[in-house]
Amino acid sequence: MIKESFSLTTKKNTHYACEMVNLDSSHFEEAYAIDMRAFEELNGKYIKKSEAFIKACLRSECSVGIKTGNTLIATVTVNIEKINDEKRASILGFEEHWPVFIGFIEGAYVLPTFRKQGLISRLYCKAVQLLKEKGIQHIYSAIDPRNHANIIAMTKSDFALQNLYHSNLNGDLRYLIKHHSEQVFLTDKQHTVLIDDHDTQVAYFKKGYIGVHITVKNIVSGKTSDNKSATCMMLMKKR
């Protein structure tokens, strides 16, 4: 059971004493309420989850949250699943060596007052640590391509984008993101593409490239001019 204490100061210069904790069944009502809040706020960018699914994530012992006082202000929910379906294995990049257990980060949310404090990145790193302590080596997440803030948080936590696919739950387009614990990129083979140029991204993913971060920069493209900034993704070749 983790309990890590730290403090933070919000933009309004208010100080809070915080604690990172494992989420378990005792946190169900709060965790489920936060997940529903994420679903409502993100308006189509976040998959709605059932009560049973959130309970399963809490049973994984790898879901984590941050509390101030007795209130949860941020959560990352994690599920552990066994991959034994060929289609699912193919989406995840397993050409062989499965069935296998994987960790999947299913949801992340921070209450508005506490955003831009690095809380999600902190929780991602802790969730990865807990999964690896259980022997889980393959750790994934799926994010709506329009959710740039969460993509940035994940790439800062050693996750990389490796595929675009349609969700089995609602058919919406999602980035498949995988954690990489070691440097697996060749920095002399890189490309920058517009974040909404999905066709080009898919073509590079098929060649073994992965998206390592997104940035805002000037880029020459048919979709933008030299003097306009655009949100772009950097792709690097895997070793």
Side-chain angles (χ1 to χ4, degrees), residues 59-213:
R59 287 194 298 270
S60 76
E61 300 180 333
C62 296
S63 295
V64 287
I66 293 173
K67 301 182 74 172
T68 180
N70 292 317
T71 302
L72 269 176
I73 62 171
T75 60
V76 163
T77 48
V78 179
N79 192 31
I80 295 176
E81 59 176 299
K82 186 176 183 180
I83 302 303
N84 51 23
D85 173 79
E86 184 175 0
K87 182 179 179 181
R88 178 75 165 154
S90 177
I91 289 173
L92 295 172
F94 291 105
E95 296 180 0
E96 53 186 18
H97 303 307
W98 59 275
V100 65
F101 283 96
I102 69 164
F104 211 98
I105 294 178
E106 300 287 356
Y109 188 76
V110 179
L111 296 183
T113 299
F114 302 96
R115 290 175 185 169
K116 297 187 177 180
Q117 299 285 335
L119 298 185
I120 286 297
S121 294
R122 185 188 289 255
L123 288 172
Y124 283 150
C125 291
K126 180 55 66 175
V128 167
Q129 176 189 329
L130 293 172
L131 284 164
K132 288 188 175 294
E133 287 174 358
K134 285 182 171 289
I136 305 296
Q137 297 301 312
H138 301 283
I139 302 169
Y140 297 88
S141 189
I143 298 181
D144 188 291
R146 299 166 293 178
N147 194 345
H148 296 171
N150 205 0
I151 294 171
I152 291 171
M154 295 211 83
T155 53
K156 286 181 177 179
S157 305
D158 296 325
F159 284 81
L161 288 69
Q162 71 172 43
N163 200 359
L164 268 171
Y165 73 106
H166 291 278
S167 167
N168 289 334
L169 293 178
N170 60 8
D172 286 350
L173 196 62
R174 290 288 185 270
Y175 280 121
L176 177 70
I177 300 183
K178 186 175 183 181
H179 183 262
H180 293 274
S181 58
E182 299 177 358
Q183 187 71 11
V184 293
F185 320 122
L186 294 177
T187 57
D188 61 337
K189 291 186 177 180
Q190 60 180 269
H191 295 273
T192 301
V193 300
L194 293 171
I195 193 69
D196 61 351
D197 188 355
H198 296 153
D199 290 341
T200 300
Q201 292 168 27
V202 168
Y204 277 117
F205 290 149
K206 288 180 178 178
K207 295 176 182 178
Y209 285 79
I210 52 181
V212 293
H213 68 265

Side-chain angles (χ1 to χ4, degrees), residues 9-38:
T9 303
T10 64
K11 287 184 177 180
K12 294 184 178 180
N13 208 33
T14 304
H15 302 280
Y16 292 89
C18 300
E19 185 176 56
M20 185 185 298
V21 297
N22 277 105
L23 299 180
D24 57 29
S25 59
S26 68
H27 300 101
F28 168 71
E29 290 187 7
E30 273 190 295
Y32 183 69
I34 285 178
D35 206 76
M36 289 300 99
R37 181 167 178 168

Side-chain angles (χ1 to χ4, degrees), residues 17 43 52 54 179:
N43 189 26
I54 295 298
H179 183 262

